[in-house]
Amino acid sequence: WERTDVPESVADYLRLVRHLNPDGKLRRYPGSPLCALPLLREGDRMRLFELHGGDAAQLRHALAHDTRRIAIREEDGFAGLRALLPPPPRRALVLIDPSYEDKRDYARVLEALDDGLRRFATGIYAVWYPQLRRPESRRLPERLKQHAGTHWLHVALTVRAPAKAGFGMHGSGLLIVNPPWSLAPALESVLPFLAAVLGQDEGAGFQLERSAP
């Protein structure tokens, strides 16, 4: 937050955070919808799913100024995604980031990715997952790669060693299907910095791998 030696891609993110905290004190943290909003072009549309009523209401409040381009649906995103694919312009980024509080989410993520690629094979899919000690979380990256087809990028950032008691996140990751060509070089330049700055102990590190050309 206070560093001035950050890579340019991180500086872009910090500018967004500062815009949301105009008094200079870090009070608000932007979720993915607020990160994506400034990047929307005039013809772009954003469709958001939130199953929990209270969270959906907060989302509507945060994005109330742009109801023309944004639609928020209080429903299960796994089910709602099917109705949106393929999108009319035949281009889209699909972010799949459930809470994983329900163990069934691990299987539903794989099912959603399979179904999405059948309906819309050229779309960009970004699947987020938490790094946890539970077996389902540890197995998920490899299972995602098996379901992702021939063109994918896997990135993970670990900030600490797993807790001995087995609770809590120690990092997170993304599996991106059909990634933009510029994404891997950007991550190669920024991941060492993030691991060094955000790392809490000797367990910090990062992983970046891609499918064979």
Side-chain angles (χ1 to χ4, degrees):
W1 169 249
E2 297 177 345
R3 292 180 71 118
T4 59
D5 61 340
V6 298
E8 184 57 30
S9 55
V10 178
D12 288 341
Y13 174 70
L14 290 178
R15 279 191 286 270
L16 172 62
V17 177
R18 291 191 179 98
H19 178 73
L20 295 173
N21 296 273
D23 64 356
K25 294 183 179 181
L26 184 56
R27 305 177 190 274
R28 302 181 66 200
Y29 173 83
S32 50
L34 283 177
C35 289
L37 184 60
L39 305 177
L40 291 184
R41 297 165 296 188
E42 179 60 28
D44 290 341
R45 297 293 182 267
M46 185 188 296
R47 299 294 179 260
L48 305 172
F49 295 92
E50 175 53 60
L51 184 59
H52 302 290
D55 293 336
Q58 291 187 32
L59 198 55
R60 291 192 187 96
H61 176 75
L63 300 172
H65 57 288
D66 199 343
T67 56
R68 182 178 62 85
R69 294 187 297 174
I70 301 172
I72 300 167
R73 302 182 182 182
E74 190 176 326
E75 60 182 275
D76 178 15
F78 289 117
L81 178 61
R82 294 173 61 91
L84 297 180
L85 299 179
R90 293 300 190 271
R91 57 179 176 81
L93 165 64
V94 178
L95 173 62
I96 303 174
D97 64 337
S99 66
Y100 296 95
E101 293 174 357
D102 186 336
K103 288 186 177 182
R104 292 175 296 178
D105 284 349
Y106 291 92
R108 297 188 76 192
V109 160
L110 298 171
E111 293 167 0
L113 184 58
D114 287 343
D115 184 71
L117 288 171
R118 281 193 298 268
R119 295 168 179 270
F120 181 42
T122 58
I124 300 173
Y125 297 82
V127 182
W128 174 85
Y129 68 88
Q131 290 183 344
L132 303 167
R133 295 196 71 172
R134 64 167 51 173
E136 299 90 347
S137 180
R138 296 201 305 269
R139 289 194 296 261
L140 186 60
E142 290 303 318
R143 298 186 69 188
L144 284 170
K145 285 183 279 186
Q146 294 168 7
H147 287 249
T150 59
H151 193 200
W152 51 263
L153 183 69
H154 174 231
V155 55
L157 178 66
T158 304
V159 297
R160 62 176 175 83
K164 293 181 179 179
F167 300 107
M169 286 176 52
H170 49 273
S172 61
L174 280 173
L175 191 287
I176 304 106
V177 181
N178 300 324
W181 66 268
S182 59
L183 182 56
L187 290 170
E188 287 173 350
S189 67
V190 76
L191 281 169
F193 174 85
L194 292 177
V197 172
L198 300 178
Q200 300 173 17
D201 59 29
E202 68 283 353
F206 66 90
Q207 184 179 10
L208 181 62
E209 54 184 341
R210 70 192 82 180
S211 54

